[in-house]
Amino acid sequence: MHPDTAIDTGIDAALENAAREALSAVLDPEVPPQELELDADMAGSYSLTSLNKVLFLTEVCEATDVDLANFTEHDLADMLTLRNVLESLTRHSNNKAV
């Protein structure tokens, strides 16, 4: 997804693009980033496994320069939707996403 094509969600476009790309990459079958629903349950709607959730969160934190150590086990468990992930990233972001 091109950085200028993020859906208008009120969330930083660079963060949203990075999260959509990272989630899309770990899904099997892969879902195009622009087709991911922000409020869909990632496990229920996209069959995101716990291992793939860890891979997704690790990648998106690296891509957005957010330290994964900022999040507690409870924080991670509460990240059920892409919107939840984006809201958590936003709290710890310095707007450095690529």
Side-chain angles (χ1 to χ4, degrees):
M1 177 179 267
H2 188 274
D4 295 332
T5 59
I7 299 165
D8 185 17
T9 59
I11 297 169
D12 179 77
L15 281 177
E16 183 175 346
N17 286 333
R20 285 178 178 276
E21 292 285 342
L23 179 56
S24 176
V26 300
L27 296 179
D28 185 27
E30 189 171 322
V31 176
Q34 67 276 11
E35 292 182 17
L36 294 168
E37 296 291 331
L38 288 179
D39 295 314
D41 180 281
M42 293 185 294
S45 296
Y46 303 119
S47 302
L48 186 71
T49 64
S50 56
L51 174 59
N52 282 349
K53 184 175 183 180
V54 170
L55 295 172
F56 158 58
L57 292 172
T58 300
E59 176 61 30
V60 76
C61 283
E62 184 177 307
T64 59
D65 200 27
V66 173
D67 190 347
L68 189 57
N70 286 316
F71 306 109
T72 66
E73 185 176 337
H74 181 75
D75 293 332
L76 298 175
D78 285 344
M79 292 183 198
L80 302 176
T81 68
L82 190 54
R83 186 180 307 276
N84 297 148
V85 173
L86 289 166
E87 289 168 349
S88 295
L89 287 171
T90 298
R91 285 193 296 274
H92 299 286
S93 172
N94 293 325
N95 296 320
K96 296 180 183 177
V98 287

